[in-house]
């Protein structure tokens, strides 16, 4: 009897967990305290299915053929909840599979179960200074494809995220390797971060880095006419700024050619004022935005406008790929959707991948459904708009 109570208690704990996950899976608006669970659903949702099944089996054991009515009642309720949680755990899988079908992509369970995190650190052996400004050396890591090439390679300037105040050029190393494997040279850059406010400096650093890469083309065996820019979160905002911004945003060093052929942005912030209003974690995002701009949208509206890529949308901006989780509680998905619509209206080629149940920085989980979808869509975008050969 004691063992049956113990099994019933474990099943009850699992049932409570499954109830919470069912809530975050089906709810439209998630309160801030539960956002951590949306990250679990986003990155590890498949594991909710065996977790729910485990609770269901334990409930069946606790229910048994004979026993006290109280234990059997607890077991019946927990079994029902765990079964419901198992079904709900299949929703993210079904949504990912449906998205894969629409994009003609293949999802791999083997890859998913292999795990792996897309995080890293700067590699000092690959680092070089691309600009010195305000007494600060700005570095980038040069990551070249293996082997030699009989023709100059295309280059990708990669901009890290971190709310414009955290992070470093070592972010997303598996994307860098993925690009290297496809024949692209990667230049992972850093830029001036807050504090103080850098709304009018960080974008200039990005444009400076692009210009520097072009000037160093012969040294690194790249084609200065084939350079694109990419990044995530705050880096997605800066990548879009580097691709879109006109002469109102000058580079922070003496370079002249900062044009790029394409831009790819993961979960970016295209409109800073809109992000201030719409974010699901207002305290966090508003803190980033205030540090970056030096105030609120009401206090410094011109800064919010000047640091927003939507301000510079026009017919001749580069082809754009946007990849964004539709459950993003830091950088709202609606920002990318509205940017894609603006680009469409002015005739700019663009694509938006809405990652189902995807949270912010979903691609830091390299094996997740969202990252698998992004690799496929990113690869097709490169082949169409920025081929390696």
């Amino acid at each position: 009897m004691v063992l049956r109570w113990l099994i019933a208690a474990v099943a009850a704990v699992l049932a409570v967990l499954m109830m919470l996950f069912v809530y975050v899976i089906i709810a439209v608006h998630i309160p801030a305290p539960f956002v951590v669970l949306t990250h679990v659903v986003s990155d590890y949702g498949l594991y909710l299915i065996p977790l729910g099944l485990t609770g269901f089996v334990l409930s069946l054991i606790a229910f048994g053929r004979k026993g006290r009515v109280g234990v059997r009642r607890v077991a019946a309720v927990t079994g029902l909840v765990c079964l419901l949680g198992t079904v709900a755990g299949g929703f993210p899988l079904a949504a990912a599979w449906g998205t894969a079908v629409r994009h003609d992509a293949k999802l791999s369970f083997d890859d998913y179960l292999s795990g792996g995190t897309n995080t890293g650190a700067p590699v000092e052996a690959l680092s070089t200074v691309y600009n010195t400004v305000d007494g600060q050396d700005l570095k980038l890591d040069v990551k070249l494809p293996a082997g030699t090439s009989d023709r100059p390679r295309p280059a990708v300037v990669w901009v890290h995220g971190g709310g414009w105040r955290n992070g470093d050029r070592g972010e997303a190393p598996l994307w860098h390797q993925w690009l290297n494997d496809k024949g692209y040279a990667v230049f992972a850059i850093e830029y001036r971060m807050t504090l103080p406010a850098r709304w009018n400096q960080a974008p200039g650093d990005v444009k400076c880095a692009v210009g520097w890469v072009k000037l160093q083309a012969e040294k690194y065996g790249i084609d200065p006419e084939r350079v694109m820019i990419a990044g995530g979160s705050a880096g997605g905002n800066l990548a879009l700024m580097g691709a879109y911004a006109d002469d109102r945003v000058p580079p922070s060093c003496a370079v002249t050619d900062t044009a790029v052929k394409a831009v790819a942005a993961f979960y970016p912030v295209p409109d800073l004022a809109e992000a201030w209003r719409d974010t699901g974690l207002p305290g966090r995002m508003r803190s980033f935005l205030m540090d970056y701009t030096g105030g609120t949208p009401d206090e410094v509206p011109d800064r919010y406008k000047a640091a927003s890529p939507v301000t510079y949308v026009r017919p001749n901006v580069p082809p754009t790929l946007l990849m964004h989780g539709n459950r993003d509680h830091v950088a709202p998905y609606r920002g990318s959707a509205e940017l894609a619509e603006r680009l469409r209206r002015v005739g700019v080629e663009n694509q938006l991948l809405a990652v189902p149940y995807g949270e912010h920085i979903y691609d830091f989980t390299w094996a997740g459904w969202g990252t698998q979808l992004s690799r496929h869509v990113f690869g097709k975008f490169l082949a169409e708009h920025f081929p390696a050969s």
Side-chain angles (χ1 to χ4, degrees):
M1 183 58 67
V2 174
L3 179 59
R4 184 171 291 176
W5 269 109
L6 181 61
I7 293 173
V10 174
V13 171
L14 292 177
V16 171
L17 285 174
M18 295 310 294
M19 276 197 302
L20 292 173
F21 282 117
V22 168
Y23 171 70
V24 300
I25 287 171
I26 66 176
V28 176
H29 300 290
I30 310 296
F34 295 99
V35 167
V36 64
L37 298 181
T38 69
H39 281 275
V40 176
V41 172
S42 170
D43 300 342
Y44 307 104
L46 183 63
Y47 296 102
L48 296 178
I49 297 175
L51 185 67
L53 288 175
T54 299
F56 179 69
V57 170
L58 290 176
S59 298
L60 288 179
I61 295 172
F63 189 83
R65 291 186 177 181
K66 295 180 180 180
R68 293 185 179 180
V69 174
V71 177
R72 290 168 66 88
R73 285 178 177 173
V74 170
V77 172
T78 57
L80 182 62
V81 171
C82 288
L83 186 60
L84 178 62
T86 301
V87 174
F91 290 179
L93 171 60
W97 219 266
T99 303
V101 170
R102 288 193 295 275
H103 289 276
D104 196 27
K106 293 182 179 179
L107 299 181
S108 168
F109 283 95
D110 287 343
D111 285 353
Y112 192 100
L113 298 175
S114 68
T117 56
N118 187 18
T119 56
V123 182
E124 293 300 332
L126 304 178
S127 299
T128 188
V129 175
Y130 74 86
N131 190 25
T132 300
V133 58
D134 293 338
Q136 178 181 349
D137 287 339
L138 298 179
K139 295 182 178 180
L140 55 77
D141 285 5
V142 182
K143 301 181 178 182
L144 302 177
T148 60
S149 175
D150 58 358
R151 58 175 296 180
R153 294 182 169 107
V156 180
V157 175
W158 192 280
V159 191
H160 72 80
W164 301 283
R165 71 182 179 199
N166 303 307
D168 56 51
R169 63 191 184 277
E171 180 186 282
L174 294 182
W175 279 121
H176 305 165
Q177 184 61 55
W178 182 83
L179 287 162
N180 281 169
D181 291 343
K182 289 184 175 293
Y184 298 90
V186 175
F187 295 82
I189 73 167
E190 62 185 26
Y191 48 88
R192 283 173 288 176
M193 293 189 288
T194 59
L195 294 164
R198 301 291 192 183
W199 63 276
N200 60 343
Q201 295 176 344
D205 291 340
V206 173
K207 294 181 78 171
C208 167
V210 172
W212 183 92
V213 167
K214 293 191 172 196
L215 290 176
Q216 301 296 319
E218 183 176 356
K219 176 179 179 180
Y220 295 112
I222 65 168
D223 184 348
E225 298 302 317
R226 292 198 296 154
V227 177
M228 74 168 286
I229 191 168
S233 193
N237 164 273
L238 291 171
L240 293 169
M241 287 291 292
Y244 294 178
D246 53 25
D247 292 342
R248 288 173 286 180
V249 182
S252 60
C253 60
V255 296
T256 55
D257 182 7
T258 62
V260 296
K261 294 296 185 182
V263 57
F266 294 83
Y267 34 85
V269 187
D271 186 331
L272 271 59
E274 189 72 16
W276 175 278
R277 293 188 292 268
D278 283 359
T279 181
L281 294 173
R284 186 177 181 186
M285 174 54 79
R286 290 176 182 177
S287 174
F288 289 147
L289 291 170
M290 289 183 68
D291 286 349
Y292 186 55
T293 63
T296 69
D298 291 333
E299 294 167 343
V300 288
D302 291 347
R303 295 183 181 184
Y304 276 74
K305 182 178 180 181
S308 296
V310 294
T311 301
Y312 307 94
V313 170
R314 56 195 184 280
N316 63 340
V317 299
T320 301
L321 172 63
L322 304 168
M323 293 163 283
H324 212 134
N326 63 11
R327 282 288 188 94
D328 197 314
H329 282 83
V330 177
Y333 167 77
R334 192 170 82 169
S336 284
E338 292 181 350
L339 174 59
E341 177 59 23
R342 290 189 186 214
L343 293 169
R344 185 194 64 79
R345 287 201 299 263
V346 297
V348 174
E349 293 187 77
N350 74 93
Q351 184 176 358
L352 169 61
L353 170 63
V355 175
Y357 292 93
E359 254 293 358
H360 203 62
I361 62 173
Y362 67 83
D363 62 314
F364 279 24
T365 303
W366 190 245
W369 300 135
T371 309
Q372 290 190 39
L373 290 167
S374 296
R375 289 200 295 265
H376 175 81
V377 172
F378 198 176
K380 290 183 67 175
F381 177 83
L382 291 172
E384 181 177 356
H385 299 289
F386 194 68
S389 60

